[in-house]
Amino acid sequence: MNKPVTAFWVVLTVCFLSFSCKQKNDSENLITLNQSKKSLPNVIDFTFDVKPIISDRCFKCHGPDKNAIEGGLSLNTPEDAYKALGEEQDHFAIVPKEIKKSTLIERIYSDDPNLQMPPPESNLQLTDYEKAVLQKWIEQGAKYKPHWAFSPPTKPEVPKTAKDWVNNEIDNFILAKLEQNGLTPNKKATKEKLIRRISFDLTGLPPTVSQIENFIKDSSEKAYEKLIDTLLSTTDYAENMAAEWMDISRYADTHGYQDDFERTMWPWRDWVIHAFSKNMPYDKFVTYQLAGDLLPNANLEQILATGFNRNHKITAEGGVIPEEYRIEYVEDRTTTLGIAFLGLTLECARCHDHKYDPISQKAHFQFFSFFNSIPEKGLLNGMKDLGEPYIKITEKEAKGVLSFINMKNNPTKEVSVMVMKEMSKPRPSFILNRGVYDQPTTEVFPNTPTSILAYPQEYPKNRLGLAKWLFHKKNPLTARVAVNRLWQRMFGNGIVSTSYDFGNQGALPTHPELLDFLALKFRDEGWDIRKMLKYIALSETYQQSTLVSAELLDKDPENKLLARAPRIRLSAQIIRDQALSVSGLLHKELGGPSVRPYQPEGIWEETTGGGGGSTASYIPSKGNDLYRKSIYTFWKRTVPPPSMMTFDASSRDICSVKRQETNTPLQALVLLNDPQIIEASRALALKAITSDEQSIEGRIQYAFQRATSRLANDIELASLSKYYKEMLVQVQNNEVQPETYLAIGDYAIPKDIDQIALAALSLTCHTILNLDETISRG
Amino acid sequence: MSEKKIIHERSLILNRRAFLEKSALGIGGAALSSLLGVNCFRKTESGVLTPDSSSSGIKGALTSLHHPAKVKRVIYLFQSGGPSQLELFDYKPTLNKRRGEDLPESIRNGQRLTGMTSGQDKFPLVGSPFNFKQYGKSGTWISDLLPHIGKMADDICLVKSMYTEAINHDPAVTFFQTGSQQPGRPSIGSWLSYGLGSENENLPSFTVMLSRGTGRPKSQPLYTRLWGNGFLHSLHQGVQFRAAKDPVLYLNDPEGTTKSTKRAMLDQLAALNDQHYQENGDPEIQSRIAQYEMAYRMQTSVPEVMNTDKEPDYIYKMYGSDAKIPGTFAANCLLARRLAEQNVRFIQLYHMGWDQHGDLPAAIERQAKDVDQASAALIADLKQRGMLEDTLVVWGGEFGRTNYSQGLLTDTNYGRDHHPRCFSMWMAGGGIKPGIVYGETDEFGYNITENPVHVHDFQATMLHQLGIDHEKLVYKYQGRRFRLTDVEGKIIKDILT
């Protein structure tokens, strides 16, 4: 997939000679362009060369879905693929090593629309390169291999490398592959870059100037390791880890449909932060959330953790058929289990057998049945309905076992949180014809597909057993999926870039042995998240510079081989939190009810219906609550905070394990005109003016360093100083009115500050907060 | 100065081409692209920059149309809440004759009911208290509630045989706008932006405007996901144009500053960003510079298009007095025409308040008055400008309403519940047969008897008019190829010219 880009850029560059160019940008065509130049591998590998083709182009009609098989042919297994076909049983799609007898070859090369495969109307064409791969594969014996992700990880040998660039095993794996490809790793990043990177990745905040200075001063060998340990021990780390978990758990402060009434799930969010700050092992963390209520002598904390599976949307739209929606909730839990823990698209087997992966519709509903016996309602009765089953938390609990809950801002001193609970008698589950709620067919019971891992007989057939199954030694997916997400946090992309899909249609691992190595290490060392993050952070691979030469960009545009560290735009939340942090506005307080920072006036009211309630109109918070971290921003699902959505936040409608990273004009408008950023610019400028720095240059450096974690170079400093002077002239000429510009946002300026100078410096800080470097971590 | 400045900047970039070409085709290409037009890149799931959208003269994801297009743009007047077809378009005198009688079970035939009427033990039929008459050469029956639309009868194609799968607002509206009842898919306008790109680099190709009806001011809510980009690039999200101080969120410069402040800031940003790019080599930085320029141009072009001061009196007369009140349906219709003139691809209006469960006669009269004149004026206005030929106008809601009364039927009052099995909507413009009625329902207005049109059929037809084969505009996400029409959809050939 990385190759087409080169060709594309060639085309583009040529285009630019004329202004209104026609862009050749059909990605599939580009693949053709490039692959036609690519030579076939000597040995065709089923996993890497063949399966991506047959899964994507053939499985729709010749794959695992038994009911969709055309012409009696399935290419899913070798037995099926080599089978005799036709009434006479006289021909074969594939005869290993026999091209002439393999009708598959004839069909893929055919020009006759009645014979051609895939058929023209399917819109699934094969390229010449792909046809050649299939042909050579059959010539070489048409060997199959099991899907890599469905076999348990095995301990790989750590590769030997020529160069001495190894801090831990990660580097052996990465370097070995770089050497095979004739590439060399980048130099180490500067200390300023490194501390910025690790601070954002672990804590979601930029380093403070004293942290930067101390780190630079500390020339001991252990300086970096000490830094990592310090960062990992902060509550900022816990909040930052929890922020990702909010996407995965589809957390929100409203129910998500129609009038979108408020719900109270924030105590559950407080628990997540608590779990990360205690470094709860991943197996325990997940088990509590899936089945805390079923643990022997479950305590309130374990029960609260199961709120995870009540975070899905719930309707209160008068008139819906409750059962239709209750089924949706159970489906949502099933989908979430797949994406979050197994890296599988279980939802694709709701209406029929999975088209690409060995998950039958029956298996889908077996998973479903684990989550189907909750005494819940499909339809909430208005905004006051607490959504059975729930637990009540009073001050007593909040001072006891649930002491991590921040009840401070809650006037009632009592909250109810939705949790999971089993019905005394399980509700029967059925395969639903086409996935429709009122068409039950065969009854099914909790179970898991043998294609992944057969369900051990001795496990209870409930959510607790399911959690045990996830963490069974032979489960091939759980550890890989989890460790891949930790890698994604540190490198922007996972070793499997489709962190939500480890199935046949997912991306292949760039470093399969490394993934297995890490998965086993993670598991065998007690599912210790902090330890794994530290291990990754200590690798030379992680510590490289992001500098990219034209040559390297050309050879590895996607940075699959990691000959450089990735440069990543900060997330929606972190962009805002950084602005608050560097300006000193950030109010650090752990947990509690969600808060309402600035939001453009009227956007709730414009869409709101007649349902009323606390989500009908937006009343911004006051005081400190305006400046809390973004993880605490009130999340109304049907109208999520627009500045966040513009920066690719997840909508929290469904489980999401990876965000987009886009670059759009609306993002520019947010950073230029959002009062939050303007106010932060002013606060930052004020800090600079009241600091020890007396010169303009010194004050600009003050702000620049806080925003980018480094000092501006001479050219940058000269340029910003000149800009400051221009702004000063604008203020003096009344092109800028300081009393108005400086009044945006609630934060008040002391009267004794020179307003003209402050306005000019605020505009300078505003510019600095808009720099691409400021909103990136390199 | 802005235009000159931009051109100047572009020239600077072009001057640097020699350097870029020497350093790398890759970087050069991306950098130039992002500076010459709208940014066309996104990071894919695997992290690579790929071409994505387009700007003037540059195409979207489709390298060419699947067949010649009949229209260039769509104006979709969405009537949110479920307008009653029985008071507006589907004339059923039988219901007046049999008023108060129970809906025969043979007609209901097991149709599922919403939770709001499933508890009723009687389903008393009720006809429209508003008269219908035939209009134009086509003789189309239209209610007295819509006299202006009636006058345009020979220009519109009325479809009386729409049906849907959802019976409640949230899933039903989501289904119409995204092809799926559950949230998460891109909406129609996003699909078009992705597939066809934009023809105006200074305005978003998918714009949205909301208005609140007087029929039921405390109406059904809307959800921003209805114009969301789903899994497509966020460049394709619908951008709401608002009758507020900020016509687009975050559009206005900070108070107390001027255009020259903004221009200076952008120049300063571009200079520093570019310097960083020279050191680091990440093409995203160049793309960032281009996004700021695009934002700057939007700051001029959006207020320009929203400012209707120069519209002549006769135009206001056509659209009605509401057209002077920002945020009304009439004002939005006028804006829709102005956006269409700027080649905005997909212009979506939502008019709320059509959910008449009770008190229907009075409420629907007000609601119809909100939209009648302006809807008709929009057709006439486009026509007089020669734009109806290449614009598709659509008018309709998410489902219809029952032929029986919800709640008590009195001499003067009744309500109607949601009805998915049949409802009416109309289209006008390029490639649609004018002055026809398509599809028929039974004399009870309960079931379709002729030419049913499913929501996916409607969507397929809309894409067809834009030159798109609905089965071929796909986006691969989470291992599957998604499309607007999911796995269904037939083009309604009979209504096409």
Side-chain angles (χ1 to χ4, degrees), chain A residues 186 271 285 387 500 698 765 767:
Chain A
N186 256 359
W271 173 79
F285 179 64
Y500 41 79
C765 291
T767 306

Side-chain angles (χ1 to χ4, degrees), chain A residues 459-479:
Chain A
Y459 284 6
K461 302 249 174 175
N462 61 16
R463 288 179 279 116
L464 184 57
L466 181 66
K468 286 185 168 189
W469 174 83
L470 276 182
F471 292 96
H472 188 287
K473 259 201 137 137
K474 288 198 176 139
N475 188 304
L477 291 163
T478 311

Side-chain angles (χ1 to χ4, degrees), chain A residues 5 8-10 12-13 16-17 19 21-23 25-26 56-57 123-124 256-259 313 317-321 324-325 328 345 347 356 437 493 497-498 500-501 505 546-548 550 553 558 567 569 600-601 603 605-610 638-640 642-643 648 653 658 660-674 678 713 715-716 719-720 723 727 730 735-737 740-741 744 763 766-767 770-773 775, chain B residues 10 17 21 23-27 29-30 32-33 36 39-43 45-49 51 57-61 63 112-116 167-171 182-183 210 212 218-225 231-235 237 239-240 242 249-258 260-262 264-266 268-269 272-273 275-276 279-285 287-288 291-292 294-295 298-299 352 471-472 476 478-479 481:
Chain A
V5 176
F8 161 64
W9 274 335
V10 173
L12 258 189
T13 311
F16 285 118
L17 300 173
F19 207 78
C21 66
K22 292 275 181 253
Q23 195 173 332
N25 62 2
D26 182 287
D56 196 46
R57 312 300 152 72
N123 302 317
L124 296 167
Y257 290 105
Q258 201 46 7
D259 288 310
K313 303 188 296 306
E317 179 175 356
V320 305
I321 294 169
E324 182 176 10
Y325 274 79
E328 287 303 323
T345 51
E347 70 276 18
Y356 307 105
Y437 73 101
N493 273 310
S497 63
T498 54
Y500 41 79
D501 188 4
Q505 288 286 88
T546 63
L547 290 187
V548 54
L553 195 62
E558 290 179 64
R567 195 169 171 279
R569 198 208 70 214
E601 259 176 51
I603 61 167
E605 291 81 352
E606 281 162 20
T607 54
T608 205
T638 57
V639 191
S643 57
D648 303 313
D653 281 322
K658 190 177 184 182
Q660 289 197 22
E661 191 189 326
T662 66
N663 193 342
T664 69
L666 296 183
Q667 291 173 0
L669 290 176
V670 170
L671 292 178
L672 290 169
N673 302 329
D674 184 349
I678 297 167
N713 63 31
I715 302 170
E716 288 162 338
S719 169
L720 280 166
Y723 174 71
M727 289 304 101
Q730 283 210 2
E735 281 177 85
V736 174
Q737 290 148 348
T740 318
Y741 177 67
I744 297 169
L763 285 161
H766 194 173
T767 306
N770 269 268
L771 289 174
D772 189 71
E773 191 177 354
I775 58 163
Chain B
R10 283 175 168 167
R17 196 175 61 211
E21 280 178 346
S23 63
L25 287 174
I27 298 175
L32 283 167
S33 146
L36 288 176
N39 167 251
C40 313
F41 303 94
R42 67 179 282 151
K43 279 194 178 165
E45 287 164 357
S46 48
V48 72
L49 290 170
I58 307 179
K59 292 176 180 175
T63 43
R112 64 179 187 158
L113 304 176
T114 77
M116 288 171 289
I167 57 170
N168 287 284
H169 300 286
D170 186 327
Q182 291 299 324
L210 316 183
R212 210 172 266 278
K218 292 203 166 210
S219 56
Q220 298 307 314
L222 290 170
Y223 337 100
T224 55
R225 62 168 180 263
F231 40 70
L232 298 174
H233 190 298
S234 65
L235 212 53
Q237 66 180 287
V239 175
Q240 197 188 331
R242 311 158 70 232
L249 295 181
Y250 305 110
L251 188 78
N252 289 350
D253 287 336
E255 285 184 27
T257 66
T258 53
S260 63
T261 323
K262 177 56 53 69
M265 187 177 281
L266 291 188
Q268 181 63 22
L269 274 172
L272 291 177
N273 280 339
Q275 217 212 326
H276 193 57
E279 284 162 22
N280 184 281
D282 183 354
E284 273 296 304
I285 305 172
S287 172
R288 180 77 54 201
Q291 297 311 329
Y292 274 76
M294 167 78 178
M298 270 176 71
Q299 288 188 304
M352 300 157 83
E471 294 186 3
K472 289 189 186 168
K476 199 168 151 187
Q478 297 203 345
R481 286 176 179 79

Side-chain angles (χ1 to χ4, degrees), chain A residues 308-569:
Chain A
F308 174 79
N309 259 323
R310 302 298 307 287
N311 277 326
H312 55 78
K313 303 188 296 306
I314 302 179
T315 192
E317 179 175 356
V320 305
I321 294 169
E323 181 65 2
E324 182 176 10
Y325 274 79
R326 195 191 64 77
I327 294 290
E328 287 303 323
Y329 312 152
V330 182
E331 283 291 348
D332 185 299
R333 292 173 196 134
T334 310
T335 301
T336 303
L337 174 84
I339 293 175
F341 305 121
L342 295 168
L344 289 178
T345 51
L346 296 182
E347 70 276 18
C348 294
R350 174 175 175 175
C351 309
H352 44 67
D353 290 349
H354 203 291
K355 295 279 180 199
Y356 307 105
D357 293 326
I359 301 158
S360 61
Q361 193 188 14
K362 183 177 173 190
H364 171 94
F365 282 101
Q366 287 171 335
F367 276 121
F368 173 102
S369 67
F370 282 105
F371 302 111
N372 192 32
S373 294
I374 317 304
E376 63 188 319
K377 292 187 292 186
L379 169 63
L380 293 184
N381 183 18
M383 71 178 94
K384 297 242 163 78
D385 195 324
L386 297 173
E388 291 163 5
Y390 56 83
I391 52 169
K392 230 177 210 152
I393 300 169
T394 66
E395 281 218 294
K396 184 169 152 257
E397 288 82 25
K399 281 182 180 151
V401 60
L402 303 182
S403 60
F404 49 83
I405 298 180
N406 179 354
M407 295 283 266
K408 203 186 83 189
N409 290 325
N410 190 37
T412 61
K413 304 291 179 203
E414 183 183 292
V415 288
S416 298
V417 184
M418 294 186 286
V419 293
M420 296 289 271
K421 186 179 173 182
E422 282 301 284
M423 296 162 74
S424 50
K425 192 167 155 243
R427 186 187 273 120
S429 297
F430 299 89
I431 297 175
L432 299 176
N433 181 40
R434 299 194 61 230
V436 180
Y437 73 101
D438 59 357
Q439 296 183 38
T441 59
T442 319
E443 187 168 3
V444 291
F445 301 92
N447 205 348
T448 56
T450 52
S451 55
I452 301 169
L453 173 65
Y455 199 80
Q457 283 302 315
E458 65 274 22
Y459 284 6
K461 302 249 174 175
N462 61 16
R463 288 179 279 116
L464 184 57
L466 181 66
K468 286 185 168 189
W469 174 83
L470 276 182
F471 292 96
H472 188 287
K473 259 201 137 137
K474 288 198 176 139
N475 188 304
L477 291 163
T478 311
R480 281 179 175 138
V481 168
V483 87
N484 188 61
R485 218 158 42 220
L486 295 176
W487 188 271
Q488 174 181 288
R489 158 177 298 276
M490 305 297 270
F491 290 97
N493 273 310
I495 295 172
V496 174
S497 63
T498 54
S499 44
Y500 41 79
D501 188 4
F502 280 53
N504 281 317
Q505 288 286 88
L508 290 162
T510 52
H511 298 80
E513 298 84 8
L514 173 59
L515 181 65
D516 280 8
F517 178 87
L518 294 172
L520 292 176
K521 185 178 167 67
F522 186 48
R523 187 192 74 189
D524 295 343
E525 294 180 1
W527 305 96
D528 186 333
I529 296 171
R530 266 188 202 154
K531 193 169 177 188
M532 179 51 70
L533 288 172
K534 179 176 171 180
Y535 179 74
I536 296 173
L538 281 173
S539 69
E540 291 291 341
T541 307
Y542 179 80
Q543 296 179 58
Q544 293 175 91
S545 145
T546 63
L547 290 187
V548 54
S549 68
E551 187 199 353
L552 184 55
L553 195 62
D554 188 41
K555 276 193 180 158
D556 187 11
E558 290 179 64
N559 199 15
K560 282 183 167 178
L561 298 176
L562 292 171
R564 61 185 183 277
R567 195 169 171 279
I568 303 169
R569 198 208 70 214

Side-chain angles (χ1 to χ4, degrees), chain B residues 347-465:
Chain B
I347 302 152
Q348 172 105 42
L349 272 63
Y350 289 93
H351 188 64
M352 300 157 83
W354 285 103
D355 192 29
Q356 275 77 48
H357 289 281
D359 200 20
L360 186 141
I364 203 167
E365 196 169 353
R366 296 195 298 272
Q367 191 73 14
K369 202 159 188 307
D370 288 346
V371 301
D372 177 44
Q373 185 174 349
S375 302
L378 179 61
I379 305 290
D381 197 6
L382 290 170
K383 203 173 166 185
Q384 72 188 4
R385 287 158 205 270
M387 288 172 66
L388 193 58
E389 288 163 28
D390 56 7
T391 306
L392 174 65
V393 181
V394 180
W395 194 106
E398 69 267 36
F399 42 54
R401 304 204 82 88
T402 54
N403 59 357
Y404 54 83
S405 177
Q406 174 176 358
L408 200 62
L409 170 62
T410 70
D411 283 353
T412 54
N413 210 353
Y414 59 92
R416 296 191 190 274
D417 198 4
H418 310 162
H419 188 63
R421 263 199 202 181
C422 64
F423 57 102
S424 305
M425 61 193 286
W426 57 259
M427 292 176 241
I432 301 287
K433 281 182 190 160
I436 66 160
V437 175
Y438 184 73
E440 196 46 85
T441 55
D442 62 21
E443 59 171 334
F444 292 93
Y446 197 89
N447 292 303
I448 294 168
T449 54
E450 200 176 276
N451 295 326
V453 178
H454 186 267
V455 174
H456 286 140
D457 300 337
F458 158 71
Q459 291 163 340
T461 307
M462 181 188 280
L463 294 189
H464 179 84
Q465 294 305 86

Side-chain angles (χ1 to χ4, degrees), chain A residues 46 51 54-55 58-59 62-66 69 72-85 93-94 96 104 137 142-147 150 355-358 451 504:
Chain A
F46 178 75
K51 210 187 23 233
I54 61 171
S55 171
C58 314
F59 275 11
H62 304 290
D65 182 359
K66 296 178 295 296
I69 284 178
L73 172 66
S74 167
L75 296 172
N76 190 33
T77 63
E79 297 75 38
D80 285 343
Y82 304 160
K83 218 167 63 173
L85 300 169
I94 294 176
L104 181 146
W137 172 60
K143 283 200 200 88
Y144 274 72
K145 276 188 197 167
H147 182 59
F150 298 155
K355 295 279 180 199
Y356 307 105
D357 293 326
S451 55
N504 281 317

